[in-house]
């Protein structure tokens, strides 16, 4: 059973920080590009950041200098460190595992991040 289990979401104040974790099981973790996506009410799901098995990253423009994606292949876990959070960052954040175009990606259940004073 392939599973992505997320944790670390919650309520934070503007300017605060939060670290999301995603633990993968049932997959050969090193074969997957891991990513974080988010979706706010009434909006389409959008890419936040991706990371390859070797540690190369791609970030959305709106997170440059604020968010950092990392992975620990020994722990089968990917992280998203979020700093300088804004109200506009409020969304459900999803973990994604992508093996390539011939395969269906895996998705986590999503974790709520709310930025509010």
């Amino acid at each position: 059973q392939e599973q992505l289990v997320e944790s670390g979401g919650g309520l934070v104040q503007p300017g605060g920080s939060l670290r999301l974790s995603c633990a993968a099981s049932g997959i050969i973790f090193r074969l997957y590009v891991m990513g974080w996506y988010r979706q706010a009410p009434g909006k389409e799901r959008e890419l936040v950041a991706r990371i390859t098995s070797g540690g190369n990253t791609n970030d959305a423009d709106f997170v440059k200098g604020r968010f950092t994606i990392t992975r620990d292949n020994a722990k089968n876990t990917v992280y998203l460190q979020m700093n300088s959070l804004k109200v506009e960052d409020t969304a459900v954040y999803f973990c994604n595992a992508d093996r390539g175009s011939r395969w269906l990606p895996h998705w986590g259940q999503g974790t709520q991040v709310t930025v509010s004073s």
Side-chain angles (χ1 to χ4, degrees), residues 13-47:
Q13 297 182 17
S17 297
L18 202 62
R19 189 177 79 153
L20 306 182
S21 299
C22 173
S25 61
I27 66 172
I28 305 175
F29 189 74
R30 61 179 173 83
L31 298 180
Y32 288 81
V33 175
M34 302 300 299
W36 288 96
Y37 293 73
R38 72 184 188 184
Q39 187 168 22
K43 297 185 178 181
E44 295 184 352
R45 188 173 299 185
E46 62 181 350
L47 172 69

Side-chain angles (χ1 to χ4, degrees), residues 1-69:
Q1 183 73 58
E2 304 90 351
Q3 291 189 20
L4 304 175
V5 180
E6 297 151 309
S7 61
L11 175 65
V12 296
Q13 297 182 17
S17 297
L18 202 62
R19 189 177 79 153
L20 306 182
S21 299
C22 173
S25 61
I27 66 172
I28 305 175
F29 189 74
R30 61 179 173 83
L31 298 180
Y32 288 81
V33 175
M34 302 300 299
W36 288 96
Y37 293 73
R38 72 184 188 184
Q39 187 168 22
K43 297 185 178 181
E44 295 184 352
R45 188 173 299 185
E46 62 181 350
L47 172 69
V48 177
R50 297 182 302 147
I51 184 168
T52 69
S53 183
N56 294 320
T57 62
N58 294 103
D59 304 322
D61 288 340
F62 62 83
V63 307
K64 292 288 187 180
R66 298 192 299 128
F67 295 1
T68 303
I69 187 170

